[in-house]
Every structure is written in C-alpha cells, then in structure tokens.
Amino acid sequence: MSKTNISKDNSVANMFVKKEISFGKRLQKKLFNRTNINGTIAILGFFLIWHLLVVLRMPFMKHIPTPVTVLETFINLVTKKVYWVSLWFSTKRVFYGFVAAQVLGIPLGLAMGWSRKFKYLSFPVFEVLRPIPPLAWVPVSILFWPTNELSIAFITFIGAFFTIVLNVLRGVSSIDKELYRSALSLGAKPQHIFRKIILPASIPSIATGMMVGIGITWNVVIAAEMIAGDKGIGRLTWEGYLAGDTPTIIVGMISIGFAGWLSSGIVKIISDRMMPWRKLF
Amino acid sequence: MRNNGDEKVIKENTNIALDNSHITKKGALSICNVTKIYDPEGVHVIALEDCSLDIKAGEFVAVVGPSGCGKTTLLNIIAGFDSLTHGEIYLDNELLAAPGVKPKPGPDRVVVFQHGALFPWKTVLDNVIYGPVIQKKMSRDEAIEIARDKLSRLGLKEIENVYPGQLSSGMQRRVEIVRALINNPLVLLLDEPFRGMDSVTKSASHEALLELYDIFHKTIYFITHDLEEAIFLSDTVVVMTTRPGKIRMTIKVDLPRPRDYRMLSTPRFLELKETAKDAVHEEALKAFQRGERELA
Ligand SMILES: Nc1ncnc2c1ncn2[C@@H]1O[C@H](COP(=O)(O)OP(=O)(O)OP(=O)(O)O)[C@@H](O)[C@H]1O
Ligand SMILES: [Mg+2]
C-alpha cells in the first residue's frame, strides 16, 4: 500500500514542535508588548488630566485633591500598620467567601446539571434566593453568625455563590451530547461519565464562574465593610469620608482597585492551569 | 495462529489482532425490517419504515439519501444510542437491537461524528488510548505503545502531545478514526465525517481512510451527501428513500482496490455516479415536493 501521504504529513506536524526561546527574551517580550506600553500611556494620561483639572480649578473638582497630594497620603499610609491590617482583613474575607463559594457552589452546580431530578428539586429555591442582593443579607447575617468576621465572609460568599452555581450549571447542560456518546461508544460505562466527561468538560465554565465571582466578592466585601465592618480597606475608605479626609478616600479606592486586579490575575493564573488545552499558541 | 484465525485469541490480544485483523471476518450486520417512530404519542415522526439491509463482514457501505431520510437514525440504532420501534438488527447473527432490548453502545461499534468528538481536554495520545484504558483492556503503557505505532503509521506521531483544538479538522478526524480503530471494533460507524472540509483536506482524509481500510478491513457504515466520495470509498452505495427511510437501491462498486484518484475519471466510475445521482435526485425531488405540500 502507498506510504506517500505519510512523509508529507510530517511537515505539517512539525509546526507543533516547540521553539526554544531564552528566558530573558521571553520576559522582555512579556513586559514590553504593545498592550503594556499602551496601558502605561493611558494610566499616565489619566493622572495628568486629573492633575490638570484640579490645578485649573474646575468647579466639579472642588473637593478632589491632586494626584500629588494623593501620592503623599499614599506614601504616608503605607508606612502605617493600619493600612496593611485593613488590606489584610479585606483580603482574608474575600478569600474565605470566595473559597467557600467555590467549594459549595461547584458541586451544587455539577449536581444540578447532572441530575435533572435534583435540579427540579433545588432550582426553585435557588431562583428565589438568587435575586436577593448580597447586601440585603447583612442584617440576617449579623444576627445569625456569632462574629462579625463570619458575617462579612458570609455576605461575600453569597455574592460569588450564585454566579458560580449558575455558570457551572450552564456549563454542564451545554456539554455536547456527542462527547457522552463517543465516550460510551469507546467503552465507558455510565458510572464513568461524571468523572471522565462532565467534570473535565465543565472546567471552562467553572473558570468563568471563578473570574466573575472574584470581581463580585471584592465589590461585596467593600460594601459590607462600609455598612457593618470594623477594619478592612472598605472601612478605612469610609472613615476617610467621615473624617472629611479626601486623599485617604482616594487612596482607599485605588487600593481596592489594585487588590481586585491582583486577585483577578491570580484567579486567571489558576484557571489557566486548570485547562491547559485552552492556551492555544 | 496467524492463519487459522482463532477469533477468541485475537479478540483477547488486541495487539496482534490489530496487525492481522484482515483475517477476522467479523462484523456482519443484518438489518431486518427496521421501523423507527420518534415520539409515537406526540408528533409521531416515522423516520425509518420497514428498512432492510445486509452488510457483509468487512464491507465498506456508503449511505446516501436526501436530508432527513433517516441515515443518522439508523446509525444511532446500530450504535446503541437509540431504540427501534419494530424489526431487528443482528451483528454476526447475534441479536443487537429489537423492541424491548435496551440499547447499549460499546467499543465493538465505534462512532465518528461529523463535528468530531475528540475530548478537548485530552491530548491526541490520551484521546487515542481512551478506549482500551477505560475498558481496562490494556494498561496505560501498553495502550500508549500501540497508539504511538498507529499514529506514526498515519504520520500523526509528532502531534501526540497536542490538544485537539490546535489541529485542523482533517487531522482531528484522522485522530478520531485512529481512536476508534484502536479498540479493534467490529463495525466503524461514520456520520458524515468529512462534511464541510475543503477539497484538499477532504482528499487527504479519503486517502487516510482508504489506507486504514486496506489495513484493517473493518465493516464500515459511512454516511455522506457526496456521491463521488461515496463511490470512491465504498464497496456498496446504499441509496435511501425520502422519509420514511428505507433502502431504495444498492449499487455495487466494482472498482478495484487499492483505490486511486485517477479512477474518478474512468468511464465505470462516471457510470456508477450517474446511476446514483439519478436515484438520489429523484428522492430529493420527492422530499422537496413533500416539503412544499407540508408547508401549504
Ligand atoms: N429525536 C428526534 N425526535 C423526533 N424526530 C427526530 C429525532 N431525530 C430525528 N428526527 C427526525 O427523523 C428524521 C430522520 O432524521 P435523521 O437525522 O436520521 O436524518 P438524516 O438522514 O441523518 O438527515 P441529514 O442528512 O440531514 O443528517 C428527520 O425528519 C428528523 O427530523
Ligand atoms: Mg444525519
């Protein structure tokens, strides 16, 4: 039989052989790409315009300090323990709420997607609880949980929980039926289906749920701290407001933004690790 | 052992069977008066009606017919994804499907789908070894060894650690066919595997499939809309009638194997194509007219 078509395929296959690039080159490429350079210019531009607006005494900027003042406050704050303690508390609350939401939400979403009976049983309750905004849980939460920490972590949990469940549920129900069929056709038994097909196939939607969820938890934790917290970066910001200390408010806001961005980055790294097949080229 | 074809030994030792499977004359399908009605209480769609077809062991059958005539329905019943309403199907004289028999998919009848169903989270190699490993027929290492051998025969060895999403559809389908064949199935069920491919990819895929067929000689049920493809690949072209589907005619393709692209312009090929075209065209016309009636 002919073997001609075999050799010609190798050239196609060769595209997939990894090219070795030195670490330095890679780092350089990573740091100085177009997106990063443009991003830096945009941020610098933002501060410049802000500064100009304040210096030119625009009426709507009356209560806003210049970026320079904010920077001074920032430098002053980061040398103080209270700043780091605040950040630490908020981060802890986000972490616990987020992890709890994943630990409970992922299995629940998988179970709801997997078993129709379970879905019919649980979905109505779920759909009634879901529209309740996390902050509406504050009073009940304070009454229910013995410590303040637990109630804030719980509210944070509520924020991420419904999103993750819905994402996983949607992920499971959109699994291609041909994947199940080909698994069965290749000799998988029905009891293999959950672990071998449903679980890996829903990883991308779990990752999406995590990404959306981490954003929500930061939103929720800050709001909860302003209402009910002691400590925490949200509280620090709020106290800045109570004291009429605008630079502190702005430093608080920027810190929240930065912490949220950093957490999203970490979640992104974790979710990329979970699904190496999605990192195409 | 090689020549007297002790089926049992061969079945148990897939490694040997894969290399000598052309001597196992198994995989004969007998489809007897099959009727399939979807949703009998409700819409009541008669997809197949009194459909009978005999497929010999190792025969390559290409099934053509107007859209919605029941080709996939029949494939799903053979594969064990769906039940039938009347009739029976036998695989090597054993009852495979009948009313009341629970449909059971399995690695003796592996399916390759049109859009492909490689597991996107597994590398090519892990996809290929999925069957034997999940059936506990081989250890992972054994399976890997055989898979590597098969992949390299098709020039796919270099991509064993690549994920399916990174491959062209042509390569994906080839990997999928290897993944099916490593199970040493009796029947290979292919539902329009090359549909929507550009002509170059398609002819490369034809070559690969023909080469595999010449090695393994499995029974193949191959659905397609492309008559040229049907004749070029198969031993028998089965033309189905418009819904409710049954067999309108079977055309024996008496072109010699191994097949070669030059055959596409031989008088015999063109003659066969005309015959098939006339039959399909007439059925398609019926389907079209009925469609207009249903709309009116
Ligand atoms: N699950 C189902 N419930 C109800 N009707 C169905 C179902 N599956 C298929 N049908 C109907 O049965 C008929 C045959 O469908 P089938 O998929 O077997 O056709 P086909 O020959 O494979 O068509 P195509 O060439 O378009 O793939 C069609 O009219 C289709 O609408
Ligand atoms: Mg079909």
Side-chain angles (χ1 to χ4, degrees):
Chain A
M1 108 227 26
S2 90
K3 293 269 173 203
T4 45
N5 59 332
I6 287 171
S7 54
K8 92 178 161 231
D9 275 345
N10 284 338
S11 59
V12 186
N14 278 338
M15 323 188 305
F16 297 103
V17 179
K18 279 213 183 88
K19 292 201 181 67
E20 290 302 324
I21 310 171
S22 77
F23 177 74
K25 269 255 170 65
R26 264 202 330 247
L27 192 72
Q28 199 182 356
K29 245 178 137 174
K30 239 188 176 142
L31 285 179
F32 299 106
N33 61 30
R34 233 196 154 71
T35 332
N36 284 358
I37 293 171
N38 287 349
T40 313
I41 293 173
I43 290 172
L44 289 178
F46 171 77
F47 282 111
L48 188 68
I49 291 171
W50 170 8
H51 191 79
L52 284 177
L53 289 178
V54 179
V55 171
L56 295 174
R57 294 176 189 281
M58 288 307 189
F60 50 88
M61 300 291 276
K62 215 161 52 191
H63 301 291
I64 309 291
T66 64
V68 179
T69 322
V70 171
L71 187 68
E72 279 164 12
T73 314
F74 181 72
I75 292 168
N76 182 26
L77 256 179
V78 293
T79 56
K80 290 213 182 104
K81 205 174 148 207
V82 57
Y83 177 79
W84 295 105
V85 169
S86 304
L87 258 184
W88 170 242
F89 266 83
S90 299
T91 307
K92 226 168 49 179
R93 289 158 180 166
V94 164
F95 180 79
Y96 289 140
F98 180 75
V99 169
Q102 307 305 317
V103 169
L104 294 175
I106 294 172
L108 184 67
L110 288 171
M112 279 163 82
W114 186 32
S115 152
R116 194 163 299 185
K117 223 182 253 168
F118 183 67
K119 185 181 158 184
Y120 289 150
L121 216 64
S122 55
F123 205 58
V125 184
F126 185 82
E127 278 301 276
V128 172
L129 293 180
R130 191 167 65 92
I132 303 173
L135 292 187
W137 288 84
V138 169
V140 162
S141 182
I142 291 174
L143 293 175
F144 183 80
W145 295 98
T147 70
N148 205 35
E149 275 320 290
L150 276 174
S151 46
I152 294 185
F154 174 74
I155 295 157
T156 317
F157 157 83
I158 291 286
F161 177 71
F162 292 100
T163 306
I164 184 78
V165 173
L166 272 194
N167 264 289
V168 176
L169 173 59
R170 203 174 306 140
V172 176
S173 22
S174 63
I175 296 173
D176 209 334
K177 111 179 154 233
E178 291 178 351
L179 287 182
Y180 297 114
R181 289 188 160 179
S182 72
L184 291 172
S185 165
L186 290 167
K189 296 274 162 288
Q191 65 266 24
H192 292 135
I193 291 298
F194 182 77
R195 214 163 54 85
K196 298 286 186 175
I197 304 296
I198 294 182
L199 208 53
S202 46
I203 287 177
S205 38
I206 292 176
T208 311
M210 282 170 66
M211 281 306 284
V212 181
I214 193 71
I216 300 180
T217 46
W218 272 104
N219 278 343
V220 171
V221 86
I222 299 303
E225 283 170 357
M226 287 185 176
I227 299 177
D230 51 1
K231 309 198 186 76
I233 193 78
R235 194 69 213 170
L236 189 82
T237 310
W238 187 248
E239 276 165 6
Y241 168 71
L242 294 179
D245 177 1
T246 329
T248 302
I249 300 177
I250 294 177
V251 170
M253 285 169 67
I254 293 175
S255 307
I256 294 163
F258 194 71
W261 172 78
L262 206 64
S263 321
S264 297
I266 293 169
V267 170
K268 176 97 176 61
I269 290 170
I270 295 171
S271 59
D272 282 349
R273 281 276 162 88
M274 289 185 340
M275 37 180 197
W277 68 93
R278 281 293 183 97
K279 258 199 340 225
L280 304 180
F281 301 103
Chain B
M1 197 211 92
R2 273 170 191 260
N3 291 320
N4 60 21
D6 184 344
E7 309 284 8
K8 208 148 188 194
V9 176
I10 286 166
K11 233 183 161 177
E12 274 161 16
N13 193 334
T14 321
N15 197 356
I16 294 171
L18 278 170
D19 291 332
N20 302 291
S21 46
H22 54 280
I23 56 168
T24 61
K25 277 291 171 214
K26 285 189 78 180
L29 273 173
S30 220
I31 297 154
C32 310
N33 310 96
V34 168
T35 297
K36 170 69 186 177
I37 302 173
Y38 284 111
D39 194 14
E41 259 86 78
V43 200
H44 198 88
V45 179
I46 308 175
L48 295 168
E49 190 172 49
D50 215 12
C51 173
S52 295
L53 175 67
D54 267 311
I55 301 177
K56 288 201 288 286
E59 191 179 11
F60 194 137
V61 172
V63 183
V64 296
S67 200
C69 72
K71 305 180 290 292
T72 302
T73 301
L74 186 55
L75 179 139
N76 284 341
I77 295 170
I78 299 171
F81 298 144
D82 212 337
S83 61
L84 45 67
T85 317
H86 299 294
E88 297 97 37
I89 296 178
Y90 297 90
L91 176 59
D92 290 325
N93 296 319
E94 274 178 49
L95 186 65
L96 181 72
V101 175
K102 195 172 181 294
K104 202 171 157 292
D108 52 343
R109 292 153 283 140
V110 185
V111 182
V112 175
F113 299 94
Q114 180 192 338
H115 299 292
L118 290 171
F119 305 125
W121 57 87
K122 283 180 182 290
T123 60
V124 165
L125 189 65
D126 281 330
N127 262 289
V128 172
I129 64 170
Y130 184 85
V133 170
I134 195 120
Q135 296 164 49
K136 301 209 167 70
K137 247 167 64 181
M138 295 179 205
S139 74
R140 209 185 127 78
D141 290 340
E142 283 172 301
I144 285 178
E145 200 177 309
I146 295 167
R148 287 216 170 107
D149 176 53
K150 299 287 158 282
L151 287 169
S152 63
R153 275 209 225 181
L154 276 178
L156 297 169
K157 187 160 177 11
E158 302 290 326
I159 57 160
E160 64 172 48
N161 292 319
V162 169
Y163 290 103
Q166 291 162 271
L167 298 174
S168 68
S169 63
M171 283 219 232
Q172 284 181 10
R173 222 61 82 246
R174 254 182 285 173
V175 171
E176 205 168 341
I177 292 170
V178 175
R179 179 176 77 167
L181 283 172
I182 200 171
N183 295 288
N184 196 25
L186 299 172
V187 184
L188 197 55
L189 302 162
L190 301 148
D191 195 347
E192 306 193 50
F194 307 141
R195 184 177 192 170
M197 283 183 186
D198 63 87
S199 58
V200 179
T201 314
K202 203 168 184 173
S203 48
S205 303
H206 288 162
E207 254 179 68
L209 180 59
L210 280 174
E211 192 177 328
L212 285 168
Y213 179 70
D214 288 338
I215 302 170
F216 297 107
H217 260 283
K218 297 292 173 197
T219 309
I220 296 183
Y221 177 101
F222 183 99
I223 300 178
T224 178
H225 275 104
D226 180 342
L227 291 178
E228 206 159 84
E229 172 178 87
I231 299 166
F232 181 59
L233 296 175
S234 73
D235 300 314
T236 308
V237 176
V238 170
V239 182
M240 284 180 73
T241 64
T242 170
R243 210 186 79 214
K246 52 172 135 325
I247 307 307
R248 179 187 161 118
M249 87 193 295
T250 56
I251 303 167
K252 291 284 163 210
V253 180
D254 45 13
L255 301 169
R257 285 187 191 276
R259 300 274 164 87
D260 184 297
Y261 257 81
R262 275 164 296 220
M263 288 175 186
L264 289 177
S265 49
T266 59
R268 183 61 189 145
F269 185 91
L270 296 172
E271 200 179 321
L272 289 166
K273 193 172 150 189
E274 280 310 308
T275 317
K277 208 157 135 190
D278 287 344
V280 173
H281 186 72
E282 211 169 289
E283 290 302 328
L285 209 63
K286 270 192 225 162
F288 182 70
Q289 281 162 352
R290 197 192 48 191
E292 286 195 330
R293 259 209 319 278
E294 275 172 8
L295 281 177

